[in-house]
Amino acid sequence: MVLDADCVIFDLEDAVAPQNKEIARENLRDYFSAHPTAHFERAIRINPLKSEWGTEDFMCARACMPSAIVLPKVSKAADVRQLNDALDQSDAALEMEIFAMIETASGVLNIGDIAALGQSRDTRLSTLIVGLNDLVKDTRIGGSQKDIRKTAHSWLMQIVLGARAGSLDIIDAVYNDIRDVAGFSAECLVGAQMGFDGKTLIHPVQIEAANHAFMPSESDLIKAGKIVRAFGEPQNASIGVLALDGEMIERLHFEQAEQLLAKAAMIEARKRS
């Protein structure tokens, strides 16, 4: 089966019971050895380096050579730097990125310092991932999935702000009920409106709805094309603002339009690969 996903995360952390950690690492080594390439990005989530399984997980992940290592429960910038320094000791891991999971109260409070690492040329941090289940546990908020999202909305937006300030990608949290297709689809659409770049999934049945929500719509692409063409006209080369279909369009809208068209082109390129 070919999954229409951008990235698949292999989990050595919460999905693996303590007594199965060793066999999980062996299975992962065997898989990457048998499948050195894939049509999607591959990442490996390890246990925190300070945990009893962290070092062995890290050694396994580095040997597998995925696109990225996912670091859970990042509470401060030093957590990312520790993993970054460990990766820097291996030339083989030169291109490997770091995805940091923000899923603790401390992580949200320190999001500015953590995300600022994205602006640093000497770190591999490229992506933030929201871990809402652990954040709920850490903060003791309660209610249904919808209620929890409302309560945690300001925290989620704080993480989005941090990601944008650090020029990082930001991925929304999982939706726990795989049977609730309508609820999942609605949450994806709201997540896209909030500024998330995508969503973490727990089952293949969620892929289609997530792709639909985070993929640029046909109408958005048509409008973006009009904006780019309008600013590309010779008579508009020195103009900062123009009128298009009754709307005021600024240079910032031109930049947004270019980004949207580039995203659409990237998606199409992945489909063809």
Side-chain angles (χ1 to χ4, degrees):
M1 179 175 64
V2 178
L3 300 177
D4 188 19
D6 297 304
C7 180
V8 171
I9 298 175
F10 298 84
D11 193 15
L12 293 175
E13 196 212 11
D14 288 345
V16 182
Q19 66 271 22
N20 295 327
K21 298 290 187 185
E22 185 174 350
I23 187 64
R25 288 191 289 266
E26 292 178 7
N27 289 340
L28 201 55
R29 292 188 189 97
D30 290 343
Y31 165 79
F32 272 86
S33 177
H35 304 86
T37 61
H39 78 281
F40 43 71
E41 283 190 314
R42 296 181 292 184
I44 297 175
R45 181 166 74 160
I46 65 174
N47 281 274
L49 291 179
K50 61 185 177 184
S51 72
E52 61 178 296
W53 308 290
T55 299
E56 289 299 322
D57 284 357
F58 168 73
M59 298 296 288
C60 171
R62 189 178 66 179
C64 289
M65 291 298 296
S67 302
I69 291 181
V70 181
L71 185 63
K73 299 176 178 62
V74 172
S75 294
K76 53 187 183 299
D79 296 337
V80 177
R81 286 203 172 275
Q82 182 184 19
L83 176 57
N84 192 86
D85 291 345
L87 285 171
D88 281 349
Q89 295 176 18
S90 171
D91 291 337
L94 185 63
E95 302 299 325
M96 206 175 296
E97 298 177 355
I98 295 174
F99 298 172
M101 294 199 68
I102 308 301
E103 48 188 342
T104 66
S106 296
V108 175
L109 289 174
N110 294 323
I111 191 62
D113 290 339
I114 295 168
L117 295 175
Q119 299 282 17
S120 176
R121 294 183 178 179
D122 63 348
T123 63
R124 303 161 181 264
L125 182 63
S126 66
T127 304
L128 301 180
I129 301 175
V130 177
L132 191 55
N133 286 333
D134 277 283
L135 187 57
V136 167
K137 175 186 175 183
D138 202 30
T139 57
R140 303 178 190 174
I141 62 175
S144 66
Q145 174 116 11
K146 185 178 292 186
D147 292 336
I148 286 171
R149 292 280 295 196
K150 289 180 180 178
T151 303
H153 182 81
S154 62
W155 304 340
L156 297 175
M157 291 308 304
Q158 191 170 345
I159 299 171
V160 171
L161 283 172
R164 296 300 170 228
S167 299
L168 300 169
D169 290 333
I170 174 66
I171 307 300
D172 199 359
V174 300
Y175 192 88
N176 296 320
D177 189 351
I178 62 174
R179 301 164 300 178
D180 184 10
V181 177
F184 173 74
S185 298
E187 188 168 290
C188 284
L189 290 170
V190 172
Q193 293 171 353
M194 292 170 65
F196 286 101
D197 295 303
K199 193 165 182 67
T200 44
L201 313 178
I202 57 174
H203 196 280
V205 299
Q206 297 178 324
I207 294 176
E208 184 177 356
N211 283 343
H212 173 74
F214 290 96
M215 187 179 298
S217 69
E218 184 177 355
S219 60
D220 287 340
L221 291 175
I222 291 173
K223 182 176 180 180
K226 287 183 177 181
I227 292 173
V228 169
R229 288 192 295 273
F231 274 105
E233 293 290 339
Q235 66 270 23
N236 295 331
S238 60
I239 292 179
V241 180
L242 55 81
L244 182 64
D245 295 336
E247 290 187 54
M248 181 188 74
I249 305 297
E250 300 181 65
R251 284 281 170 182
L252 64 91
H253 298 119
F254 170 65
E255 294 171 3
Q256 289 173 326
E258 285 190 317
Q259 292 171 358
L260 190 68
L261 293 173
K263 179 179 181 180
M266 180 184 67
I267 293 172
E268 286 301 317
R270 182 177 64 80
K271 286 182 177 180
R272 292 193 298 268
S273 64

